[in-house]
Amino acid sequence: MIYLTRRCEFSASHYYHNPEWSDEQNRHAFGKCANLNGHGHNYTLEVTVKGDIDPVTGFVVDLKELKDILNREVVDAMDHRHLNKEVPEFASKIPTTENIAIAIWQRLAESLRVAKLHRVRLYEMPDLFVDFYGEA
Amino acid sequence: MKAHLKRRYMFAASHRLHADTLTDEQNRVTYGKCNNPHGHGHNYSLEVTVSGPVSPDTGMVCNLVDLDQAVRQTVLDRFDHQNLNMLADFAVVVPTTENLTEIVFNILKQSFHAAHLEKVRIEETLNNSFEYAGGAELRH
């Protein structure tokens, strides 16, 4: 069992707003992030997959294929986008770093056939990140 | 009280990804740019994780001087500024960083006994890294 981690970046805007709550409750829970004009981050994504080394190629996964999937499922879908308005998952969910990491896991788990997903690590900022292992 | 210690090392090497059992066309498709006949190189960053009880006398898991010496003598001296394809380690297997990571782990398992070798992690580029823990599942 060997683990491979691929890193990529995307920049996106978002805001935090729970429509079930009053403006006051939203401001209280989300602080500056509740500003409905939105704000943005440079996100860094680290995706770790695991598997056995192919005895012929020496690869655990075709990196180009992994890169193409990451580009299609994450970068093309989220880079320079407004997460609340342009990424379907966040029509009904608040695009916190937690929920973005889970959405990325679900997107990758569906399209990744060549290796098993181990971890999605998403940095919202260099000092704030979320790890998701696909646990219920 | 058990603690984990991580230490980082650097080495630079060249390689070419090419499997003798594949045709030239299959190699080009499989390895892309990495199949360039003249090879290419990387600055590899090697992260070694060892673990063990913290000695009440020294306050250490192991003496870093001993770890440095083992890594220098058995890994860095062997791979730094080398063409990986020319080494006996890669006579049969392709010098992907997957295989390199396993080989480095196995070398250190043999040569370093002052603490338990937990894991070897090698960064091939800022965007790609590989981890091997002797076949064990990684903990969070």
Side-chain angles (χ1 to χ4, degrees):
Chain A
M1 180 75 74
I2 195 146
Y3 295 75
L4 179 155
T5 300
R6 174 85 193 168
R7 183 172 170 276
C8 66
E9 293 177 352
F10 60 94
S11 305
S13 59
H14 68 172
Y15 57 78
Y16 293 172
H17 178 77
N18 184 335
E20 311 279 309
W21 290 351
S22 69
D23 288 351
E24 178 52 33
Q25 282 174 305
N26 272 292
R27 268 197 302 275
H28 183 70
F30 299 129
K32 286 191 292 189
C33 300
N35 178 348
L36 291 177
N37 292 322
H39 63 283
H41 297 286
N42 296 324
Y43 292 93
T44 299
L45 171 66
E46 288 178 6
V47 172
T48 303
V49 300
K50 61 184 172 184
D52 294 320
I53 300 179
D54 183 297
V56 175
T57 64
F59 282 158
V60 62
V61 59
D62 183 336
L63 257 181
K64 186 176 178 309
E65 199 174 329
L66 180 60
K67 196 164 94 177
D68 288 346
I69 293 171
L70 286 181
N71 279 339
R72 189 179 68 237
E73 297 295 337
V74 182
V75 180
D76 291 350
M78 301 185 189
D79 187 38
H80 286 72
R81 304 266 185 198
H82 193 300
L83 299 175
N84 303 66
K85 299 177 195 296
E86 295 183 87
V87 179
E89 286 93 327
F90 306 116
S92 56
K93 276 190 191 133
I94 302 170
T96 57
T97 314
E98 295 89 326
N99 277 334
I100 304 169
I102 293 168
I104 289 172
W105 174 285
Q106 288 166 343
R107 283 170 173 246
L108 295 179
E110 271 181 30
S111 50
L112 199 64
R113 299 272 171 261
V114 281
K116 200 165 159 20
L117 203 50
H118 174 67
R119 184 184 75 191
V120 165
R121 171 171 286 179
L122 183 66
Y123 289 84
E124 182 185 86
M125 295 198 287
D127 58 0
L128 177 64
F129 62 93
V130 165
D131 283 340
F132 185 64
Y133 292 87
E135 292 164 324
Chain B
M1 194 80 77
K2 183 182 176 184
H4 288 67
L5 181 152
K6 283 182 203 275
R7 178 92 163 147
R8 185 179 276 260
Y9 306 89
M10 303 291 295
F11 62 95
S14 63
H15 69 170
R16 179 203 184 197
L17 303 187
H18 183 91
D20 292 335
T21 50
L22 301 178
T23 65
D24 286 351
E25 179 54 24
Q26 286 173 319
N27 270 296
R28 271 193 296 274
V29 170
T30 304
Y31 296 119
K33 285 190 295 189
C34 302
N35 187 237
N36 174 357
H38 303 293
H40 62 282
H42 298 286
N43 294 323
Y44 293 95
S45 169
L46 163 67
E47 194 180 276
V48 177
T49 306
V50 299
S51 69
V54 177
S55 160
D57 296 328
T58 64
M60 301 191 294
V61 169
C62 68
N63 193 324
L64 270 180
V65 173
D66 296 335
L67 180 61
D68 286 353
Q69 188 181 31
V71 173
R72 158 96 20 225
Q73 287 177 350
T74 63
V75 177
L76 304 183
D77 287 352
R78 185 162 171 165
F79 297 119
D80 188 37
H81 285 73
Q82 297 292 319
N83 178 337
L84 299 180
N85 297 69
M86 306 303 285
L87 303 178
D89 302 284
F90 299 104
V92 182
V93 297
V94 182
T96 58
T97 307
E98 285 92 329
N99 281 328
L100 178 63
T101 305
E102 267 199 21
I103 287 169
V104 169
F105 182 94
N106 290 331
I107 290 171
L108 287 174
K109 198 77 193 164
Q110 291 287 321
S111 62
F112 182 73
H113 305 289
H116 177 70
L117 180 66
E118 287 279 345
K119 186 180 81 174
V120 161
R121 176 171 174 270
I122 297 184
E123 278 182 22
E124 182 183 68
T125 69
L126 271 184
N127 289 336
N128 300 334
S129 63
F130 302 82
E131 294 167 275
Y132 183 64
E137 292 270 335
L138 285 187
R139 301 190 305 172
H140 291 185

